[in-house]
Amino acid sequence: QGLVVALANRGFQVVAPSMDYLRQALHVRRLLEIPAMIEIASSVEPDRLAPVRELADTIMAAGVRGDIRSFVETDYTFHWQLTSLCGNTVLTSLIEEMRSRARLVVIPSLTAQGNLVEIAQEHLDLLTAIAERDLPAVERLTLAHMDRTHDAIRHAMDSAG
């Protein structure tokens, strides 16, 4: 996926995506994820949200503890499982590929800003809106969560000079 490059006689190196790529990928994610979340909210059976809710609770607990590793690992699984509820594996894979590339830049920025509990709460709020089939709230919350990613990218760019 271009996240790692081989270095002659030295092994491998993780390559952070360019800021231009991150901005473009976030735009594509907005085009894909918001309709996907609305589709999920319109059709998902409530019992299918229970395992995703458990992941969101785990993310919140990790955020409260300041356990970055657990937060990030569970966040990955949370987003994968939530998006997969749309039933489109190609869409889920595409979104997660873009999210994975962004994580290299976004996670250090979010960690530095110290707002893991707020991010975790966004997950819980989104799941509540999905369960209630509140489509305007699903759209608003998904966009707000993605705006946080945009802000983290901008913060990373500012920090990089």
Side-chain angles (χ1 to χ4, degrees), residues 25-49:
L26 186 57
H27 177 75
V28 171
R29 284 182 50 212
R30 283 183 173 145
L31 295 173
L32 299 174
E33 284 186 59
I34 293 170
M37 290 302 112
I38 291 171
E39 180 180 328
I40 291 164
S42 298
S43 63
V44 72
E45 296 297 323
D47 61 314
R48 294 191 63 208
L49 290 175

Short mmCIF file of all heavy atoms in Angstrom, two decimals, residues 25-49:
data_model
loop_
_atom_site.label_atom_id
_atom_site.label_comp_id
_atom_site.label_asym_id
_atom_site.label_seq_id
_atom_site.Cartn_x
_atom_site.Cartn_y
_atom_site.Cartn_z
N ALA A 25 -7.42 12.58 0.37
CA ALA A 25 -8.03 11.36 0.90
C ALA A 25 -9.18 11.68 1.86
O ALA A 25 -10.21 11.01 1.84
CB ALA A 25 -6.98 10.50 1.61
N LEU A 26 -9.01 12.72 2.66
CA LEU A 26 -10.09 13.11 3.57
C LEU A 26 -11.31 13.57 2.78
O LEU A 26 -12.44 13.25 3.14
CB LEU A 26 -9.62 14.21 4.53
CG LEU A 26 -10.60 14.60 5.62
CD1 LEU A 26 -11.01 13.40 6.46
CD2 LEU A 26 -10.02 15.69 6.49
N HIS A 27 -11.09 14.25 1.69
CA HIS A 27 -12.20 14.67 0.82
C HIS A 27 -12.93 13.43 0.28
O HIS A 27 -14.16 13.37 0.31
CB HIS A 27 -11.69 15.56 -0.31
CG HIS A 27 -12.75 15.97 -1.27
ND1 HIS A 27 -13.69 16.93 -0.96
CD2 HIS A 27 -13.05 15.53 -2.51
CE1 HIS A 27 -14.51 17.06 -1.98
NE2 HIS A 27 -14.15 16.23 -2.93
N VAL A 28 -12.18 12.46 -0.20
CA VAL A 28 -12.78 11.23 -0.72
C VAL A 28 -13.52 10.50 0.40
O VAL A 28 -14.64 10.00 0.20
CB VAL A 28 -11.72 10.33 -1.38
CG1 VAL A 28 -12.30 8.96 -1.73
CG2 VAL A 28 -11.14 11.00 -2.61
N ARG A 29 -12.91 10.44 1.57
CA ARG A 29 -13.56 9.78 2.69
C ARG A 29 -14.89 10.44 3.02
O ARG A 29 -15.88 9.76 3.32
CB ARG A 29 -12.66 9.78 3.92
CG ARG A 29 -11.54 8.76 3.83
CD ARG A 29 -10.67 8.74 5.07
NE ARG A 29 -11.48 8.63 6.26
CZ ARG A 29 -11.15 9.15 7.43
NH1 ARG A 29 -10.02 9.82 7.58
NH2 ARG A 29 -11.93 9.01 8.47
N ARG A 30 -14.95 11.76 2.97
CA ARG A 30 -16.23 12.45 3.22
C ARG A 30 -17.28 12.03 2.20
O ARG A 30 -18.44 11.84 2.54
CB ARG A 30 -16.04 13.96 3.18
CG ARG A 30 -15.40 14.51 4.41
CD ARG A 30 -15.31 16.01 4.37
NE ARG A 30 -14.83 16.50 5.64
CZ ARG A 30 -14.04 17.54 5.77
NH1 ARG A 30 -13.63 18.22 4.71
NH2 ARG A 30 -13.65 17.94 6.96
N LEU A 31 -16.85 11.91 0.94
CA LEU A 31 -17.79 11.51 -0.10
C LEU A 31 -18.30 10.09 0.09
O LEU A 31 -19.43 9.77 -0.30
CB LEU A 31 -17.12 11.64 -1.48
CG LEU A 31 -16.74 13.05 -1.93
CD1 LEU A 31 -15.93 13.00 -3.22
CD2 LEU A 31 -17.97 13.92 -2.09
N LEU A 32 -17.48 9.24 0.70
CA LEU A 32 -17.84 7.84 0.87
C LEU A 32 -18.44 7.52 2.25
O LEU A 32 -19.43 6.79 2.34
CB LEU A 32 -16.60 6.96 0.67
CG LEU A 32 -15.93 7.00 -0.70
CD1 LEU A 32 -14.65 6.18 -0.68
CD2 LEU A 32 -16.88 6.54 -1.78
N GLU A 33 -17.84 8.04 3.30
CA GLU A 33 -18.23 7.63 4.64
C GLU A 33 -19.56 8.19 5.10
O GLU A 33 -20.32 7.49 5.78
CB GLU A 33 -17.15 8.02 5.66
CG GLU A 33 -15.95 7.10 5.60
CD GLU A 33 -14.95 7.40 6.70
OE1 GLU A 33 -15.32 7.33 7.88
OE2 GLU A 33 -13.79 7.70 6.36
N ILE A 34 -19.85 9.43 4.76
CA ILE A 34 -21.12 10.00 5.23
C ILE A 34 -22.30 9.23 4.65
O ILE A 34 -23.17 8.79 5.41
CB ILE A 34 -21.19 11.52 4.95
CG1 ILE A 34 -20.14 12.23 5.82
CG2 ILE A 34 -22.59 12.05 5.22
CD1 ILE A 34 -19.93 13.69 5.49
N PRO A 35 -22.35 9.00 3.32
CA PRO A 35 -23.45 8.18 2.80
C PRO A 35 -23.45 6.75 3.37
O PRO A 35 -24.52 6.17 3.60
CB PRO A 35 -23.22 8.15 1.29
CG PRO A 35 -22.37 9.34 1.00
CD PRO A 35 -21.53 9.55 2.23
N ALA A 36 -22.26 6.19 3.61
CA ALA A 36 -22.20 4.84 4.18
C ALA A 36 -22.80 4.82 5.58
O ALA A 36 -23.57 3.90 5.92
CB ALA A 36 -20.76 4.33 4.21
N MET A 37 -22.49 5.80 6.40
CA MET A 37 -23.04 5.85 7.76
C MET A 37 -24.55 6.05 7.72
O MET A 37 -25.29 5.46 8.52
CB MET A 37 -22.37 6.96 8.58
CG MET A 37 -20.91 6.69 8.94
SD MET A 37 -20.66 5.18 9.87
CE MET A 37 -19.77 4.20 8.67
N ILE A 38 -25.02 6.87 6.79
CA ILE A 38 -26.47 7.08 6.66
C ILE A 38 -27.14 5.78 6.21
O ILE A 38 -28.21 5.42 6.73
CB ILE A 38 -26.76 8.25 5.70
CG1 ILE A 38 -26.32 9.56 6.36
CG2 ILE A 38 -28.23 8.30 5.30
CD1 ILE A 38 -26.35 10.77 5.45
N GLU A 39 -26.53 5.07 5.28
CA GLU A 39 -27.08 3.79 4.84
C GLU A 39 -27.13 2.80 5.99
O GLU A 39 -28.13 2.09 6.18
CB GLU A 39 -26.24 3.23 3.69
CG GLU A 39 -26.73 1.89 3.18
CD GLU A 39 -25.87 1.35 2.04
OE1 GLU A 39 -25.32 2.14 1.26
OE2 GLU A 39 -25.76 0.11 1.96
N ILE A 40 -26.07 2.75 6.77
CA ILE A 40 -26.03 1.85 7.93
C ILE A 40 -27.14 2.22 8.91
O ILE A 40 -27.89 1.35 9.37
CB ILE A 40 -24.64 1.88 8.60
CG1 ILE A 40 -23.61 1.23 7.68
CG2 ILE A 40 -24.67 1.22 9.97
CD1 ILE A 40 -22.17 1.53 8.06
N ALA A 41 -27.27 3.50 9.20
CA ALA A 41 -28.30 3.94 10.15
C ALA A 41 -29.71 3.64 9.64
O ALA A 41 -30.62 3.39 10.43
CB ALA A 41 -28.15 5.44 10.41
N SER A 42 -29.87 3.65 8.34
CA SER A 42 -31.19 3.40 7.74
C SER A 42 -31.58 1.93 7.77
O SER A 42 -32.76 1.61 7.71
CB SER A 42 -31.21 3.87 6.29
OG SER A 42 -30.97 5.25 6.21
N SER A 43 -30.58 1.04 7.84
CA SER A 43 -30.91 -0.36 7.62
C SER A 43 -30.38 -1.36 8.65
O SER A 43 -30.85 -2.50 8.67
CB SER A 43 -30.39 -0.78 6.23
OG SER A 43 -28.98 -0.66 6.18
N VAL A 44 -29.44 -0.98 9.47
CA VAL A 44 -28.80 -1.97 10.35
C VAL A 44 -29.77 -2.44 11.43
O VAL A 44 -30.57 -1.66 11.96
CB VAL A 44 -27.51 -1.42 10.98
CG1 VAL A 44 -27.80 -0.36 12.04
CG2 VAL A 44 -26.65 -2.53 11.56
N GLU A 45 -29.70 -3.74 11.70
CA GLU A 45 -30.47 -4.31 12.81
C GLU A 45 -29.78 -3.92 14.11
O GLU A 45 -28.55 -4.02 14.22
CB GLU A 45 -30.55 -5.82 12.67
CG GLU A 45 -31.30 -6.29 11.44
CD GLU A 45 -32.76 -5.85 11.46
OE1 GLU A 45 -33.38 -5.85 12.54
OE2 GLU A 45 -33.29 -5.50 10.38
N PRO A 46 -30.54 -3.47 15.11
CA PRO A 46 -29.93 -3.00 16.36
C PRO A 46 -28.97 -3.99 17.02
O PRO A 46 -27.95 -3.58 17.57
CB PRO A 46 -31.15 -2.74 17.27
CG PRO A 46 -32.27 -2.48 16.32
CD PRO A 46 -32.00 -3.34 15.10
N ASP A 47 -29.25 -5.30 16.93
CA ASP A 47 -28.36 -6.27 17.57
C ASP A 47 -26.98 -6.31 16.93
O ASP A 47 -26.01 -6.71 17.56
CB ASP A 47 -29.00 -7.67 17.57
CG ASP A 47 -29.26 -8.20 16.16
OD1 ASP A 47 -29.79 -7.44 15.33
OD2 ASP A 47 -28.93 -9.37 15.91
N ARG A 48 -26.86 -5.85 15.67
CA ARG A 48 -25.56 -5.83 15.01
C ARG A 48 -24.68 -4.69 15.52
O ARG A 48 -23.48 -4.68 15.28
CB ARG A 48 -25.74 -5.74 13.49
CG ARG A 48 -26.42 -7.02 12.95
CD ARG A 48 -26.40 -7.13 11.48
NE ARG A 48 -25.04 -7.21 10.99
CZ ARG A 48 -24.69 -6.79 9.78
NH1 ARG A 48 -25.59 -6.27 8.96
NH2 ARG A 48 -23.44 -6.89 9.38
N LEU A 49 -25.28 -3.74 16.22
CA LEU A 49 -24.50 -2.63 16.79
C LEU A 49 -23.85 -2.99 18.12
O LEU A 49 -22.90 -2.32 18.54
CB LEU A 49 -25.39 -1.39 16.98
CG LEU A 49 -25.84 -0.68 15.72
CD1 LEU A 49 -26.81 0.44 16.06
CD2 LEU A 49 -24.64 -0.13 14.95
#
